[in-house]
Amino acid sequence: MAAQIAEAAQKLSLAETVYIDEVAGDDATGTGSETTPFKTVLKAIEIKGENIKIQIKKDAEGYKDISGAALKKAKKTFAEQQKKAKKIQEQQKKQDDDLKKKADDEAKAIEHAKSIVLVEDKSLPKAEKIKIRQSTEKRSKRVKVSGWVHRLRVQGKDMMFIILRDGSGYLQCVLTGKLCHSFDAITLTIESTVTIWGVINELPEGKTAPGNHELVADYWEIVGKAPGGDDAFSNKVTADADPYYLLDNRHLVLRGETASAVLRARAEVIKAFRAFYDEEQFTEVTPPCMVQTQVEGGSTLFSFNYYGEEAYLTQSSQLYLETCLPSLGDVFCLAESYRAEKSHTRRHLSEYSHLEAEMAFVQFDDLLDHLENMICFVIDRSLADKKTAELIKQLNPDFVKPSRPFLRMKYEDAITYLKENEIKKEDGSYYQFGEDIPEAPERAMTDKIGRPIFLTHFPAEIKAFYMQKVPGDRRVTESVDVLMPGVGEIVGGSMRMDNREELLEAYGTAGIDPAPYYWYTDQRKYGTTPHGGYGLGVERFLAWLLNRYTVRDCSLYPRFTGRCTP
């Protein structure tokens, strides 16, 4: 025992003395000398080792021998840190080895996959080429289907599930065995185009897939491979992306289930509108979109040079439709209209689909009845069609068709309603008769009432020049805005002036030169008649029906202030 103590004392006497100054020392630049001390004991042990003599300075009294307990604690902490660092190093090495092994395995798998050549089994029945919409009727038969890889899931090494999309529907396809091992299979990406051969089978109870069936593949081919990595489709279009970025990539957004459902519903709703007009025996016409007259005021006209003359993109086809009444009777059109309104609201577009109609020999109440019948017909027909009803349910699960009759409210009563319900202007004052009711209070009123409103009898000074004034009250017009909860105005209509002299006077009041409108004025010269019409914004109607936040979602490629691409 004495010999061991003597040996330890000798080692200690030979050990290097290291200085630590907990106040002025520096672990980054210190060397452990008295003039350049370390700051911590741990740093001293890390640099100089454990066989050292430590002089430590904690205050102005100067350097002292470190206590045995403090040195023991420091050595224990250092050992734990070394052990932890070694473990992290071992884990990193294992991770690196695993990644290298995975990369090597993938490289080998790719090389092996390149050697696999898929060949169609010619002994099988010849496959019939079909669209996905035909899948149910083609069950148990061998078919081939082409489309885009909408979703992709790999299950183990021998099974792949592909949700295929071709625009007519979705179809789950199952690839097994060798079909999953080819180079095209192991590098397949979302939005690649493929053709798949196989038999469509109904799913057993308890399993789900689009159409309640799946195609069990016996052969497939790649048509066009979409990129992976940073340029992969899933990295280009994400739900949380900036709205303007999504508009720049609208061509890719359209491939999504929501955007495509909106467009599909749009097509069916337009069919329903046309069915209504067909049932009512209206004639569809195609008016020009390049014009030299205004309908809704000159401030919202898009002008362009037309062979040296100033011309405009049409704001409305109404005036042209009126000219068709004597020859074709009641008429309608579905055409684009253009408004140069610098509005950034969620219900404004610079180009929109405008459904317009004009009717001869009608009174104002006839016009209102017609509008209510049309809106309800379109809703009923859309909900009666199974596929359209499913789209509406998908996009607007809480939709309930409005009850009839629609609320009919005069403009004057709306002004009173706004006052009674404390719906005020931005400056805190109330709206007065003769003032236009802007979008925000109009929507606040509509949302509070919670049902469709026919807002009627607007003052003449805030409406278009051609609107018929009420015979018993010349302050107001026989006009109507159809307001829907959540959207606001979707239809604007009125009776049209049928007296030539009154129309000429209206031109003057509006500051419009009547000369370019001779053809419109002649309607009152050669056999005038009481007549009325309206314009419906298709995108606004859809935004209401499908519960879309903005009308932009209801347009294929929306155009609004600052947006004319792609």
Side-chain angles (χ1 to χ4, degrees), residues 11 17 35 80 125 175 375 537:
K11 284 183 178 179
T17 300
T35 56
E80 289 173 350
L175 279 60
I375 292 169

Side-chain angles (χ1 to χ4, degrees), residues 219-262:
Y219 178 65
W220 74 284
E221 292 177 354
I222 192 84
V223 178
K225 188 169 288 184
D230 292 341
D231 206 27
F233 180 84
S234 55
N235 292 329
K236 298 285 284 184
V237 178
T238 57
D240 58 351
D242 179 81
Y244 276 77
Y245 172 84
L246 293 177
L247 285 167
D248 287 337
N249 290 277
R250 180 72 174 165
H251 59 294
L252 299 179
V253 172
L254 295 177
R255 300 183 181 206
E257 292 177 22
T258 299
S260 60
V262 170

Side-chain angles (χ1 to χ4, degrees), residues 119-300:
V119 180
E120 183 183 1
D121 186 348
K122 297 297 183 182
S123 67
L124 295 173
K126 185 178 180 180
E128 179 184 353
K129 182 180 178 180
I130 67 165
K131 292 285 188 180
I132 290 176
R133 65 172 177 265
Q134 301 170 275
S135 296
T136 301
E137 64 191 77
K138 299 298 180 181
R139 286 178 180 175
S140 303
K141 297 179 182 178
R142 189 166 183 260
V143 299
K144 72 172 181 177
V145 189
S146 299
W148 288 261
V149 178
H150 187 65
R151 283 197 290 272
L152 175 64
R153 178 167 61 91
V154 178
Q155 186 171 305
K157 293 183 179 180
D158 296 310
M159 185 171 288
M160 290 172 60
F161 292 89
I162 295 174
I163 301 296
L164 199 64
R165 181 189 78 243
D166 72 348
S168 73
Y170 299 90
L171 176 63
Q172 178 168 288
C173 305
V174 185
L175 279 60
T176 57
K178 190 177 180 181
L179 299 179
C180 304
H181 302 159
S182 69
F183 178 75
D184 285 336
I186 65 174
T187 59
L188 189 61
T189 51
I190 298 294
E191 292 305 317
S192 294
T193 43
V194 297
T195 300
I196 304 178
W197 285 253
V199 177
I200 298 173
N201 296 322
E202 186 175 3
L203 286 176
E205 190 173 345
K207 292 189 176 182
T208 59
N212 198 38
H213 49 224
E214 64 185 10
L215 184 148
V216 179
D218 57 60
Y219 178 65
W220 74 284
E221 292 177 354
I222 192 84
V223 178
K225 188 169 288 184
D230 292 341
D231 206 27
F233 180 84
S234 55
N235 292 329
K236 298 285 284 184
V237 178
T238 57
D240 58 351
D242 179 81
Y244 276 77
Y245 172 84
L246 293 177
L247 285 167
D248 287 337
N249 290 277
R250 180 72 174 165
H251 59 294
L252 299 179
V253 172
L254 295 177
R255 300 183 181 206
E257 292 177 22
T258 299
S260 60
V262 170
L263 293 179
R264 208 179 305 280
R266 174 189 170 107
E268 295 304 319
V269 166
I270 287 174
K271 285 181 187 177
F273 276 116
R274 283 200 163 98
F276 171 78
Y277 289 121
D278 187 56
E279 190 169 289
E280 295 293 314
Q281 298 189 29
F282 278 56
T283 301
E284 183 171 5
V285 296
T286 309
C289 68
M290 296 184 290
V291 301
Q292 290 186 307
T293 52
Q294 60 174 283
V295 182
E296 301 295 336
S299 63
T300 63

Side-chain angles (χ1 to χ4, degrees), residues 317-330:
S317 297
Q318 172 206 320
L319 306 188
Y320 294 100
L321 292 182
E322 288 187 50
T323 68
C324 298
L325 293 176
S327 57
L328 301 176
D330 298 341

Side-chain angles (χ1 to χ4, degrees), residues 417-430:
Y417 181 94
L418 295 177
K419 288 180 181 178
E420 291 176 349
N421 288 271
E422 293 295 312
I423 301 173
K424 302 178 182 179
K425 300 179 189 176
E426 290 184 359
D427 63 7
S429 62
Y430 291 107

